[in-house]
Amino acid sequence: MPCHVALIGVGLVGKQVVHQLSSPALSPLFRIVSLSNSKHTVSIEPSSSTLPADDLLALLPASSAALPSSSSHPGASYSSANPEQVVKDLAHAAKHSKTSTILIDCTSDLSVTQLYPLAISSGLSVVTPNKKGFSSSNELWQQILEAQNAPGAGLVYLEATVGAGLPIISTLRDLLKTGDEVTKVEGVLSGTFSYIFNEFSRPGVKGGPKFSEVVKIAKANGYTEPHPADDLSGSDVARKLTILSRLISANPSSLPALPSFPEGYASLPTQSLIPKALEGLASGTEFVEKLPEHDEEFDTLRAEAEKEGKVLRYVGVIDRMAGIAKCGLEKYPAAHPFASSLSGADNILAFHSHRYSKSPLIVQGAGAGADVTAMGVVADAIKVAERTGVRVHL
Amino acid sequence: MPCHVALIGVGLVGKQVVHQLSSPALSPLFRIVSLSNSKHTVSIEPSSSTLPADDLLALLPASSAALPSSSSHPGASYSSANPEQVVKDLAHAAKHSKTSTILIDCTSDLSVTQLYPLAISSGLSVVTPNKKGFSSSNELWQQILEAQNAPGAGLVYLEATVGAGLPIISTLRDLLKTGDEVTKVEGVLSGTFSYIFNEFSRPGVKGGPKFSEVVKIAKANGYTEPHPADDLSGSDVARKLTILSRLISANPSSLPALPSFPEGYASLPTQSLIPKALEGLASGTEFVEKLPEHDEEFDTLRAEAEKEGKVLRYVGVIDRMAGIAKCGLEKYPAAHPFASSLSGADNILAFHSHRYSKSPLIVQGAGAGADVTAMGVVADAIKVAERTGVRVHL
């Protein structure tokens, strides 16, 4: 029997998820039973005929449209978006039909993640690339963990929250579950920072472009948020590092404890690269216009690194032995993988452990993008299906 | 109910597997019911008291010892090693007790892998770092694949066959199962070759040590087999590449087909680095003594690469677009991850795909060693346990 899937958030990633789940290989494993955007939910009778991805997506009215009174598909029915109601309906249907049901959250809303404890304790599995639930308050994180202990509860899968489709969460999990001690996790976890510093600070190159120039080009190429300060604050990296740190802390270890980050990423020491004078500037365009006034600060940092034969990289570091996690600029020698082998907007993450002590286990590649993020989500959904007895061969 | 585990092959890797499975976190999930070396099998009553890893291992007489008439542990009984009988007894017990049972093969024997089809079709799951079953004849490979289709059959898990604990098979699987098209797989898959060429051919360095010198040091440090020709033949890389190639071919794709390698790794084009004059030399010591006579050939290859600003690396390449797989020496520019960021005896593998097209998904780290190989095995065993409903939390 296929798993039922309810998808909340049908943007670029959500659409890709629908396409991947509807592939000939996977469509026998999954049955999409509801799609929600910020305004509407379309529920699809599991017994109705299976639709190709595009037809399925076409059932959902645009967020700006009015709720249709009926649909061309006899199995489709509509309601105003209400994620809590979606979760309750799913849980009710899952209990009734004894069907394994997956809630896929492709929003970036904190409010949807606040429904995870209810969803999980009601027996739904949650699969998501949404970082908010795992990197905000420790209270919500603990509620999510504890929900998994309820009788008949579902589990939560979050591979795509860090590095999109890259095997980062699963690798950390394999290390921890097989009893390795992870001593240090260090990496470039933001495609934006990766691009900016790969351009700004190249191994073996004296000087280079102005920081403001690089940011301007990054923005023009879509490598930054509309307001670059949203990237330069470091909060996206801090959220990812909070998740990795909490996963480490959720496993027994004899190494020094890491902080619990009561307010999540906001409690994690994070170096902001927003110049003091530009903090709180509302317009991204104005921000980019004024950034050249601060190029000197970045030139100085680069020159200091050059003097040591090093390059600048914005990284997240969990140092287990020191019991700390932090985000900020660090200097790496030219031969270091973060300096020499990183290019474009790639992410790179190095796991140091008792087993990988001579040299770390490294994972590298595109860490953002709709298709690779959807891949992380769908790979997790396959794991849920396998837990229900579905056989996915080699 | 814990999964039952039968382990055949209790060498360095097998011992580590027993230790990892016996950890406080995993011991509730697994119950070791038999251990076999080349001479003896000890069967342990699942209902008897659980033993710590060292006590469990102490139950098995050394290969050279006589079969004990009794044991200090009341749940242990002995027989002469007969892997086929072990499989049959396991299958019988599994059917009777309806317990999920895992056969872990930590030998490097082809004969044990020939039992996989029987084991799998009898309902046992097979977890192994043994490459032989998947890289020998296509006939055996197809029998293993087909065995999984029998009613009530088990599945096969082979993460540790390529790169030990590195997430290589699982990453390839996630790419393929979520519908990506893998266009090229390329990597340094042998710790021996990695060490040899990282020393012999360094980016940005003119000349370097003699090839024979590097091999001699590698042998002295245990980076080669007792007879270095066993590494220099390239057959270990060819076996790993055969496995990756067959996994790719087992999934639907619109790209050109790869060869079926009827004789497995022996059918895969493989460049041997054994000098013609030294082929068939029985003694590893004599091989190392005579190798300096052939240093000039390697000097020439290195000089040619240097002229192009490149380094030499011994790699395996699957080029899907060209429909080929091959192993041999290739040249890489100094800034390439295979040149710049590889060190020691690390493996590195790059997956190029439609989704990872701008830059590949890269996995890097130690690809050999008892503890990391056991980790790959145990991570697979956890996946089997999860398929039976065991809940392993974050």
Side-chain angles (χ1 to χ4, degrees), chain A residues 343-378:
Chain A
S343 67
D346 277 5
N347 285 12
I348 187 167
L349 196 70
F351 296 97
H352 301 256
S353 73
H354 282 181
R355 289 185 202 138
Y356 293 94
S357 59
K358 263 194 190 170
S359 55
L361 191 168
I362 294 178
V363 176
Q364 179 181 346
D371 53 353
V372 292
T373 304
M375 167 189 159
V377 168
V378 172

Side-chain angles (χ1 to χ4, degrees), chain B residues 230-283:
Chain B
D230 292 341
D231 295 297
L232 296 178
S233 70
S235 62
D236 175 68
V237 181
R239 282 196 182 275
K240 290 169 181 165
L241 210 63
T242 302
I243 294 173
L244 296 175
S245 176
R246 283 175 170 174
L247 289 172
I248 291 173
S249 295
N251 284 274
S253 168
S254 57
L255 301 182
L258 292 164
S260 69
F261 306 115
E263 298 309 317
Y265 80 100
S267 306
L268 193 144
T270 304
Q271 181 183 3
S272 168
L273 297 193
I274 304 170
K276 274 262 176 284
L278 302 187
E279 275 175 8
L281 213 58
S283 145

Side-chain angles (χ1 to χ4, degrees), chain A residues 26-377:
Chain A
L26 295 186
S27 60
L29 273 55
F30 300 103
R31 174 79 206 192
I32 293 172
V33 296
S34 104
L35 297 171
S36 303
N37 56 26
S38 60
K39 279 282 173 52
H40 311 295
T41 292
V42 55
S43 304
I44 303 132
E45 267 299 318
S47 59
S48 66
S49 61
T50 310
L51 293 176
D54 283 328
D55 294 357
L56 204 52
L57 290 167
L59 291 179
L60 187 68
S63 294
S64 54
L67 198 59
S69 55
S70 70
S71 152
S72 52
H73 188 65
S77 60
Y78 293 97
S79 56
S80 296
N82 179 343
E84 186 169 352
Q85 195 58 46
V86 168
V87 168
K88 285 180 175 167
D89 291 348
L90 281 174
H92 181 79
K95 204 168 249 178
H96 192 258
S97 67
K98 295 200 194 308
T99 306
S100 177
T101 304
I102 308 173
L103 176 72
I104 299 184
D105 169 19
C106 286
T107 72
S108 54
D109 299 345
L110 178 64
S111 64
V112 176
T113 71
Q114 287 162 336
L115 298 168
Y116 295 173
L118 171 67
I120 295 163
S121 60
S122 308
L124 309 179
S125 288
V126 171
V127 174
T128 185
N130 182 352
K131 292 183 279 290
K132 299 259 168 84
F134 317 113
S135 60
S136 299
S137 75
N138 190 42
E139 198 186 339
L140 177 56
W141 168 246
Q142 293 299 334
Q143 284 170 0
I144 293 170
L145 285 187
E146 279 159 29
Q148 299 186 109
N149 295 324
L155 293 173
V156 65
Y157 294 79
L158 62 163
E159 182 65 71
T161 57
V162 182
L166 298 177
I168 289 177
I169 304 281
S170 56
T171 299
L172 179 60
R173 188 175 190 267
D174 284 351
L175 289 166
L176 294 169
K177 294 301 176 192
T178 62
D180 203 359
E181 289 279 16
V182 174
T183 50
K184 189 177 181 183
V185 179
E186 184 178 25
V188 175
L189 287 169
S190 145
T192 312
F193 276 132
S194 181
Y195 174 83
I196 289 175
F197 286 99
N198 293 343
E199 292 293 317
F200 181 68
S201 182
R202 290 172 174 274
V205 173
K206 280 256 166 215
K210 292 286 168 198
F211 186 77
S212 61
E213 265 306 304
V214 175
V215 173
K216 199 174 158 186
I217 295 168
K219 184 173 187 291
N221 287 326
Y223 286 132
T224 70
E225 299 289 328
H227 197 319
D230 292 342
D231 295 297
L232 296 179
S233 70
S235 62
D236 175 67
V237 180
R239 282 196 182 274
K240 290 168 181 164
L241 211 63
T242 302
I243 294 173
L244 296 175
S245 176
R246 283 176 170 172
L247 288 171
I248 291 172
S249 295
N251 285 275
S253 168
S254 58
L255 300 182
L258 292 164
S260 69
F261 306 117
E263 297 310 316
Y265 80 99
S267 307
L268 194 143
T270 304
Q271 181 184 4
S272 168
L273 298 192
I274 304 169
K276 275 263 176 281
L278 304 185
E279 275 175 8
L281 214 59
S283 148
T285 312
E286 200 185 336
F287 181 87
V288 171
E289 277 168 15
K290 291 196 169 161
L291 198 54
E293 297 164 19
H294 304 274
D295 275 334
E296 213 169 301
E297 302 164 32
F298 291 98
D299 283 346
T300 306
L301 290 170
R302 180 169 60 190
E304 281 169 9
E306 269 172 22
K307 245 184 258 169
E308 302 173 33
K310 292 180 176 173
V311 297
L312 293 172
R313 294 291 180 263
Y314 192 98
V315 295
V317 181
I318 297 170
D319 185 337
R320 198 70 200 281
M321 310 314 284
I324 55 164
K326 59 175 181 174
C327 303
L329 281 177
E330 299 281 347
K331 291 176 271 188
Y332 294 93
H336 193 282
F338 294 3
S340 58
S341 87
L342 203 61
S343 67
D346 277 5
N347 285 12
I348 187 167
L349 196 70
F351 296 97
H352 301 256
S353 73
H354 282 181
R355 289 185 202 138
Y356 293 94
S357 59
K358 263 194 190 170
S359 55
L361 191 168
I362 294 178
V363 176
Q364 179 181 346
D371 53 353
V372 292
T373 304
M375 167 189 159
V377 168

